[in-house]
Amino acid sequence: MSGPSESLDTTPKRRQSALALAPRKRPRHSDRFSHVGRHFGRTIHAMLSVTALVENGLVREVELAEGGEDDLTRYSAEERREHIIFRKLVALVPELTSATATGDYLDTVASIQHGMDGARADDTKGLKEPMIDWITPMGGQLNPAIKRNKKAERGFQHDVTGALLCPVELNWDNDELSATIGITVKVGLRIGELTVAADSWPRFMYRDNAYDPENPWKGLLRGKLLVTAFKHIFTSPTSVDDGSRATRAGNARIHGMTSVTPGSIAYVATQVRFALSSAEVFSRSDTAMNSAGFYDVLLELLTDEEDKEEIDALFAWWNRQVFPNSSAVQARVPTATSALARIRAARAARRATQ
């Protein structure tokens, strides 16, 4: 077995970011670490190389220890984000620190990666068919119909999915010819003349698909499809229509999850975007949909301290939608006439007279 010095080169060098690397292919594993990997991918980061994350993180921990203080400001913004993710992984898998001390961590890392990749594949497959039900008008039908198990008819090729995917800065229903490309928005998107950037939010991400250019945070990430897909993935497919009708423990309950995370919202938005698209393969190398780029940009927004007020309000809204019975939500929003509300009111009154 290799010793620590043989397994990990701590010589300062330019490291490739784990957030930009595709996962390495490893043998399949089925164990506790794979189970943790499924939750990690859904809630913290879904598209990274766990091997690179761990190796880069260990090198930085050595550097920080040698410096005598836990100061991440010496690193770039991307390296700081990556290291925060590394520490979250270590919090879930404390064994990583002892395993890496002996150089025996590759199997653990491979299991985590396997769990991440497996969960993403399962969720991609799981949303494919019900997505058609969710976008079909109540009591109506799509025209033309979209096959539940096919992707080719989705995306910008269909008016319904195209309108939902259309970047908010464009008008899907505008039939006027563009002055720059001489075709309509629909045609431009369908033939690829108009490309969609990773930071161009699709309309489905907004409440009622309505975007206000003067207030881009208004309704952002509050679309109905997002909440429906979140429940499908985290609560249970059977809880989508009626939250009290879940017939088995969902992923959130299994892992003790009682509130949303930046990663979970970004993950669901990316999965919905892919399910509406005509793309067949969900991967970091997918240049047509650029799912990885979309996910990265959205996750960066949701962890930006500059927008903390809007982000906190967004998370509170989400928790009310998907975890209404959690103690955290109930503590923040007591019923107006409840005993708890009266206790707090009486306490406030006493303090006011002191």
Side-chain angles (χ1 to χ4, degrees):
M1 182 178 294
S2 301
S5 60
E6 297 174 17
S7 63
L8 188 63
D9 180 9
T10 59
T11 304
K13 59 184 177 180
R14 176 67 178 174
R15 296 184 290 270
Q16 288 184 285
S17 170
L19 309 186
L21 287 174
R24 298 178 185 175
K25 301 243 180 232
R26 300 284 299 180
R28 296 190 63 179
H29 297 262
S30 178
D31 54 23
R32 185 177 71 81
F33 300 124
S34 179
H35 185 64
V36 170
R38 294 178 71 86
H39 185 61
F40 176 84
R42 284 171 170 145
T43 60
I44 298 175
H45 204 293
M47 298 186 191
L48 52 71
S49 164
V50 181
T51 300
L53 178 72
V54 171
E55 291 181 349
N56 291 349
L58 291 171
V59 170
R60 280 190 292 268
E61 288 293 350
V62 170
E63 294 171 346
L64 291 167
E66 291 175 346
E69 57 183 16
D70 192 22
D71 181 14
L72 292 177
T73 59
R74 62 189 289 187
Y75 300 108
S76 68
E78 182 176 11
E79 288 176 316
R80 290 197 297 272
R81 287 195 298 271
E82 181 182 309
H83 203 67
I84 290 170
I85 293 170
F86 165 72
R87 287 180 169 176
K88 288 180 178 179
L89 177 59
V90 171
L92 290 173
V93 188
E95 294 90 338
L96 271 177
T97 54
S98 58
T100 50
T102 62
D104 187 23
Y105 65 93
L106 291 181
D107 284 345
T108 300
V109 164
S111 293
I112 296 169
Q113 188 76 66
H114 172 66
M116 288 174 56
D117 298 344
R120 190 174 68 244
D122 289 346
D123 294 335
T124 299
K125 180 180 179 181
L127 289 179
K128 185 176 181 180
E129 295 191 12
M131 181 59 66
I132 301 306
D133 299 331
W134 301 338
I135 65 174
T136 300
M138 184 79 67
Q141 59 184 4
L142 297 176
N143 184 26
I146 299 177
K147 295 183 179 66
R148 286 165 52 87
N149 62 343
K150 301 292 184 183
K151 293 295 297 289
E153 300 165 340
R154 307 185 190 194
F156 297 122
Q157 305 309 313
H158 195 283
D159 274 348
V160 174
T161 52
L164 291 168
L165 287 171
C166 184
V168 292
E169 59 266 26
L170 300 177
N171 184 355
W172 177 260
D173 295 318
N174 186 358
D175 292 328
E176 296 180 7
L177 298 182
S178 167
T180 55
I181 59 176
I183 53 180
T184 65
V185 169
K186 285 183 185 180
V187 174
L189 290 170
R190 284 171 177 168
I191 67 175
E193 190 69 25
L194 289 174
T195 57
V196 179
D199 60 354
S200 291
W201 304 141
R203 198 161 291 275
F204 76 80
M205 285 175 57
Y206 282 84
R207 180 191 289 119
D208 300 325
N209 306 324
Y211 167 65
D212 181 356
E214 300 301 319
N215 184 8
W217 265 106
K218 182 180 179 181
L220 177 61
L221 292 167
R222 289 171 170 84
K224 183 178 179 181
L225 272 181
L226 293 174
V227 175
T228 300
F230 191 102
K231 290 180 178 179
H232 187 278
I233 293 172
F234 286 97
T235 307
S236 168
T238 57
S239 71
V240 169
D241 296 322
D242 179 1
S244 63
R245 199 168 58 86
T247 57
R248 62 178 181 178
N251 293 311
R253 184 176 176 185
I254 290 172
H255 293 278
M257 181 182 180
T258 58
S259 60
V260 298
T261 64
S264 63
I265 296 177
Y267 179 76
V268 168
T270 305
Q271 286 283 8
V272 170
R273 182 173 177 265
F274 183 81
L276 290 169
S277 77
S278 58
E280 295 286 352
V281 180
F282 191 126
S283 70
R284 180 170 281 281
S285 59
D286 167 28
T287 55
M289 284 302 294
N290 192 12
S291 295
F294 174 81
Y295 175 86
D296 290 341
V297 170
L298 189 51
L299 186 58
E300 184 176 342
L301 172 70
L302 294 175
T303 54
D304 191 340
E305 287 295 319
E306 296 292 327
D307 290 302
K308 188 177 187 305
E309 183 178 347
E310 290 84 356
I311 292 169
D312 287 347
L314 175 68
F315 290 172
W317 180 89
W318 264 97
N319 287 330
R320 290 194 295 271
Q321 309 306 308
V322 297
F323 297 115
N325 297 321
S326 74
S327 58
V329 170
Q330 291 179 339
R332 285 197 300 270
V333 190
T335 305
T337 58
S338 68
L340 174 59
R342 294 180 184 278
I343 289 172
R344 289 181 175 175
R347 181 174 59 203
R350 287 196 304 271
R351 287 177 176 173
T353 59
Q354 291 177 354

